[in-house]
Amino acid sequence: MEQHAGYVANKDDLLKRLRRAEGQVRGIQRMVEDDTYCIDVLTQVSAATKALETVALALLDDHLAHCVAEASAEGGPVADEKLREASAAIARLVR
């Protein structure tokens, strides 16, 4: 079975979201450099975290819809492995 990224159809959107999150993190760095009030920095950290979580959930959704679905159709050990991978990824996201 050929390995390919299940998110290929959403790649541009994911890259746009990642660039936005990168900008948010740079903004947080500037806030710390400028001695911005703690709560204001924490608010921006929360926003950047949510932005990355949105990317992670989109990637997970694509993984389930493409990689796991294809492996499930194939069945056997390949399907078992993809399900284990997805379960581990979900566990990492909710920690």
Side-chain angles (χ1 to χ4, degrees):
M1 181 172 158
E2 179 185 332
Q3 291 270 342
H4 65 280
Y7 58 81
V8 128
N10 299 323
K11 186 176 180 176
D12 290 339
D13 182 55
L14 289 170
L15 289 171
K16 183 171 78 173
R17 289 177 181 276
L18 287 167
R19 283 190 286 275
R20 191 175 311 134
E22 179 183 22
Q24 287 177 303
V25 171
R26 274 193 251 106
I28 294 166
Q29 288 173 315
R30 281 190 300 277
M31 292 174 81
V32 171
E33 288 170 354
D34 296 343
D35 298 321
T36 301
Y37 183 58
C38 304
I39 296 301
D40 295 336
V41 176
L42 287 170
T43 299
Q44 291 307 308
V45 168
S46 178
T49 300
K50 291 294 180 199
L52 288 174
E53 286 174 351
T54 299
V55 170
L57 290 173
L59 287 167
L60 180 61
D61 187 51
D62 286 337
H63 182 67
L64 292 171
H66 298 282
C67 304
V68 174
E70 288 175 12
S72 292
E74 186 177 321
V78 172
D80 294 342
E81 177 60 23
K82 290 295 178 191
L83 289 171
R84 274 193 298 276
E85 285 177 351
S87 181
I90 292 166
R92 286 191 301 273
L93 285 173
V94 297
R95 280 189 201 136

